[in-house]
Amino acid sequence: MFHVDGDTGIAAKVYTDGKHLERREKISTMVASELHKRSTLVAFPMETLLGDRGEFVGFTMRKVGGVKPVHELYAPGSRKIEFPKVDFRFLARTATNVARAIGSVHQTGCVIGDINHSGILVSDQATVTLIDADSFQVRSSTMVYRCRVGVGEYTPPELQGAVLDKVDREPSHDGFGLAVIAFQLLFMGRHPFAGRYGGQGDMPIEKAIREGRFAYSIQRKAETRMDPPPFAPTLGDLTPDLASMFEVAFQSNPSLYRSRPSATDWIGALSRFEAELIPCRANPAHHHPKNAPGCPWCRLENGMGVTLFTASGSSTAAPSLGNFDLTAAIAAIDRVLGPGNSPDPAQVIPMPSGMAKSRTAKEVQQRRNIRRLGGVLVAGLSIALIAGGLPFAFVGLFVAAYLFFGGGGEIQQLQATKARTESDWTAARREWDLETGPMQFEQKKSLLRTFAGEHRELPALEKSRLDDLDRRRREIQLQRFLEGHLIARAKISGIGGGRKEILSSYGIEDAFDVTYQKVRAVPSFGDATTRKLVDWRESIERKFVFNPSAGTDPAAIRQVRDGIARRRAEIEQALARGPIELEQLRSHALTARSRPTQKLIEAFRAMKQAEIDLN
């Protein structure tokens, strides 16, 4: 790539691989079609370049400056270096703009074919430019100039293993690569087909794509037999329509590839997703949809002990309440009195009127009375026969006793019903006590007092953590040094693009992340491959030189202070809301006492009915 004298907005691409002649007609067609005027999001060829003898040697195109490959953005390790000031909204906006750029290519009649992370460039404004347009598939009136290449991790299942220079690409093929890039942006660099396979053997990414084993699928989890990496976000953390689109884009049946979402579909869904993002209460650099069960980035950071977003030069702490008075806050909390003990619900529920034995109980009673009457008659007859000189009639006394005292099974059933209703009443009463009693109020007040104690200790905690940073200066300098050596940029024997994608999906992005235990736990990484990575890390570590004159790392200091500030803001907001929430709990408990729940009423009546039936 060369600069053009006299025009800072133009760059020249000159072929040096000896294949310029086979590209001449394709580039000439793109130039003649003036594709560069039809999309400003793609560095299309503008003019052909000729050598000294008039031979074709390359082309000019719009120069793209101040941009970086998209993988430098979605991978947390490189994002700290290349995009230190962005938050999650930036990634969501970039995903939308990637879809717009790819859609603009399709509007020209071209197909990208070779979608991959190195051909997508991102600016610090989240704008996107596509490069390597000379590899696109383009049509003339009589000829299809195919895309001859592809990266396996972004190639759809129906083209896995195909001879790509023999295939006419379609926009739906690009739809798969677009879905992968969008997924990586929204899932912090994790590849949708990198996970732990529940079957036999290894499951490299290209094989997983070919077999449709989308590791994050909810609808087809039993079919894919894949589990995503630990602590990773889930489709449940997305908006429902976006989650559904990923399921369709990564479906297992290659014959249905034309049903994949188009670039236009992705633009709409991703735009809506970005619009629904709300800031995390714990960390404003985190954003997630309103429907998400919680903040996926807090979950990931806490689970893996990493920092996903940094805000260089500014605090990511939640806003403080200003002149917060802890003593006044505690006094306001203590002034709210509890609801006291809940009343006996049996005294609150009106006694059911007009209750009588159930039909079942009446039938049991009737049969019991008949049996007893029969027993008395048989006993009387037996006694009379014995008195008349027929001693064998004493057998009738046993029959009479059986009739009089038998039928206990039916009584036991009524007793079991009574025991069950009493158990149901106890459970319903327990719920009543929880809702109308002081337990929830006292638990809340105890939690607020705990928060108050934690607030008092924050200055000491901050000092302790800063002192610890000073003691660990060498360790922190080494960590920063190792974090600057990214696996994606390194040449490591036996660790190609696919393996690097898997490592990134498991949060192993730089030399600091590499330990034998962590790498060995990644699927398909055996002892030999793991040892290569560990050896690489050790070779980097040997180059480290500690600088004792350097102060404590400013980024580490800022991280400690931001963490303390966020926690202080959280506690202050909780304490400020405390009196209102306590009053709400008290009011709810008192109001609920006059409105017994239907479950409680039905349990009480069932128990009383069982008592009447048994009596």
Side-chain angles (χ1 to χ4, degrees):
M1 197 70 67
F2 297 90
H3 300 289
V4 176
D5 289 340
D7 195 335
T8 58
I10 302 296
K13 183 171 183 177
V14 178
Y15 294 113
T16 59
D17 57 5
K19 297 182 180 180
H20 55 288
L21 293 180
E22 68 183 49
R23 295 169 175 147
R24 179 180 58 191
E25 292 185 13
K26 180 178 185 179
I27 300 302
S28 297
T29 298
M30 298 179 87
V31 170
S33 300
E34 295 187 324
L35 297 178
H36 67 282
K37 295 182 179 180
R38 297 167 63 183
S39 175
T40 60
L41 305 179
V42 186
F44 276 120
M46 300 172 66
E47 295 181 342
T48 56
L49 290 175
L50 303 178
D52 295 335
R53 296 186 297 276
E55 75 280 13
F56 172 78
V57 295
F59 61 90
T60 61
M61 62 182 184
R62 177 170 62 88
K63 182 183 291 184
V64 185
V67 292
K68 301 178 180 70
V70 68
H71 66 84
E72 304 279 23
L73 170 64
Y74 62 60
S78 56
R79 184 168 62 245
K80 295 176 187 177
I81 301 170
E82 305 296 344
F83 294 89
K85 297 182 180 180
V86 306
D87 58 21
F88 181 69
R89 292 173 299 179
F90 188 96
L91 277 76
R93 190 172 306 119
T94 300
T96 305
N97 288 339
V98 170
R100 287 194 176 102
I102 293 176
S104 75
V105 173
H106 295 165
Q107 289 173 0
T108 68
C110 296
V111 178
I112 297 173
D114 183 23
I115 290 183
N116 64 80
H117 54 62
S118 63
I120 301 172
L121 304 182
V122 184
S123 74
D124 58 6
Q125 300 299 313
T127 57
V128 169
T129 304
L130 304 182
I131 60 172
D132 297 332
D134 53 331
S135 73
F136 292 2
Q137 175 179 285
V138 61
R139 293 176 180 268
S140 68
S141 57
T142 59
M143 186 71 179
V144 177
Y145 300 97
R146 296 188 177 109
C147 173
R148 298 172 176 271
V149 292
V151 176
E153 292 78 27
Y154 299 88
T155 300
E158 65 272 14
L159 298 185
Q160 287 286 334
V163 180
L164 296 178
D165 61 0
K166 304 293 184 184
V167 176
D168 286 352
R169 308 291 184 92
E170 301 179 24
S172 56
H173 295 148
D174 283 354
F176 181 85
L178 167 54
V180 173
I181 293 290
F183 189 93
Q184 289 177 311
L185 281 164
L186 301 184
F187 281 69
M188 299 294 149
R190 281 151 177 78
H191 194 283
F193 289 85
R196 186 171 297 280
Y197 177 50
Q200 297 294 320
D202 291 339
M203 185 56 62
I205 289 177
E206 292 178 43
K207 181 180 179 183
I209 291 174
R210 188 166 59 251
E211 297 179 2
R213 299 189 186 278
F214 175 32
Y216 295 74
S217 177
I218 297 174
Q219 298 175 2
R220 300 188 297 110
K221 185 172 180 60
E223 176 188 337
T224 65
R225 303 182 68 185
M226 295 283 282
D227 288 316
F231 311 110
T234 69
L235 294 185
D237 295 314
L238 305 178
T239 50
D241 63 333
L242 195 55
S244 177
M245 287 179 64
F246 279 122
E247 291 275 17
V248 175
F250 301 137
Q251 60 190 324
S252 59
N253 190 344
S255 66
L256 300 178
Y257 69 88
R258 288 191 175 91
S259 66
R260 285 192 193 108
S262 66
T264 301
D265 296 330
W266 285 109
I267 293 169
L270 289 166
S271 297
R272 291 189 295 273
F273 174 76
E274 182 185 352
E276 291 195 24
L277 293 176
I278 59 174
C280 167
R281 293 178 64 178
N283 188 338
H286 296 177
H287 291 77
H288 56 80
K290 291 177 287 188
N291 65 283
C295 177
W297 316 126
C298 287
R299 188 170 69 237
L300 181 55
E301 287 187 340
N302 295 335
M304 300 193 67
V306 299
T307 300
L308 296 175
F309 298 95
T310 59
S312 180
S314 63
S315 173
T316 61
S320 176
L321 297 182
N323 297 324
F324 179 76
D325 188 333
L326 180 61
T327 302
I330 296 173
I333 289 169
D334 287 340
R335 281 196 295 270
V336 183
L337 300 179
N341 294 328
S342 59
D344 183 352
Q347 304 301 318
V348 177
I349 300 174
M351 181 64 68
S353 60
M355 293 189 71
K357 285 185 182 294
S358 67
R359 179 179 176 181
T360 299
K362 289 179 180 178
E363 290 174 350
V364 170
Q365 182 67 50
Q366 186 179 25
R367 286 192 292 271
R368 188 182 188 195
N369 291 339
I370 292 173
R371 289 171 65 95
R372 287 190 169 186
L373 177 60
V376 170
L377 293 176
V378 171
L381 178 60
S382 298
I383 293 172
L385 292 174
I386 293 171
L390 297 173
F392 62 86
F394 76 90
V395 176
L397 296 177
F398 291 102
V399 175
Y402 173 75
L403 290 172
F404 192 88
F405 296 106
E410 293 182 319
I411 300 299
Q412 289 176 353
Q413 289 179 0
L414 292 176
Q415 290 172 337
T417 299
K418 182 173 181 293
R420 177 176 52 77
T421 59
E422 288 174 344
S423 176
D424 292 344
W425 166 248
T426 299
R429 180 168 181 164
R430 190 179 299 115
E431 293 180 12
W432 158 270
D433 288 340
L434 180 63
E435 187 173 8
T436 63
M439 181 181 299
Q440 294 186 72
F441 179 92
E442 294 300 337
Q443 286 177 341
K444 181 67 175 181
K445 182 171 277 192
S446 175
L447 178 62
L448 292 171
R449 287 169 176 157
T450 300
F451 284 164
E454 185 181 350
H455 191 280
R456 294 189 187 96
E457 297 299 323
L458 285 177
L461 179 61
E462 180 175 345
K463 183 179 184 305
S464 172
R465 290 182 177 177
L466 291 175
D467 290 344
D468 183 61
L469 289 181
D470 187 61
R471 288 190 296 269
R472 296 172 49 241
R473 279 188 302 149
R474 186 186 188 285
E475 179 183 338
I476 294 171
Q477 282 187 32
L478 174 60
Q479 177 177 340
R480 296 290 181 261
F481 179 77
L482 294 173
E483 287 175 341
H485 291 77
L486 301 174
I487 295 172
R489 300 176 183 176
K491 293 183 178 179
I492 308 170
S493 174
I495 311 295
R499 288 188 180 276
K500 290 178 179 179
E501 291 279 6
I502 294 175
L503 288 169
S504 179
S505 295
Y506 279 78
I508 302 175
E509 299 181 66
D510 53 50
F512 180 74
D513 295 327
V514 173
T515 65
Y516 184 88
Q517 291 77 13
K518 286 177 66 175
V519 176
R520 192 67 178 83
V522 176
S524 79
F525 276 77
D527 182 74
T529 312
T530 300
R531 179 50 58 188
K532 289 179 181 179
L533 271 170
V534 173
D535 290 344
W536 171 74
R537 178 210 159 110
E538 291 174 350
S539 71
I540 299 297
E541 190 168 351
R542 284 193 292 270
K543 300 174 185 178
F544 169 70
V545 178
F546 173 58
N547 182 2
S549 62
T552 305
D553 180 58
I557 292 174
R558 185 168 58 250
Q559 186 175 356
V560 167
R561 287 178 173 163
D562 284 355
I564 294 294
R566 281 197 298 270
R567 186 56 183 156
R568 179 180 288 109
E570 291 170 7
I571 292 173
E572 290 176 0
Q573 291 169 5
L575 293 176
R577 295 192 307 266
I580 297 174
E581 293 176 350
L582 286 173
E583 188 58 52
Q584 289 173 341
L585 289 171
R586 167 188 164 85
S587 176
H588 177 78
L590 294 176
T591 302
R593 293 175 184 181
S594 62
R595 295 199 300 260
T597 64
Q598 189 63 29
K599 180 179 180 179
L600 188 74
I601 294 172
E602 291 176 356
F604 182 71
R605 289 180 174 175
M607 182 180 66
K608 291 301 179 183
Q609 182 67 59
E611 290 176 354
I612 292 171
D613 287 349
L614 190 59
N615 289 336

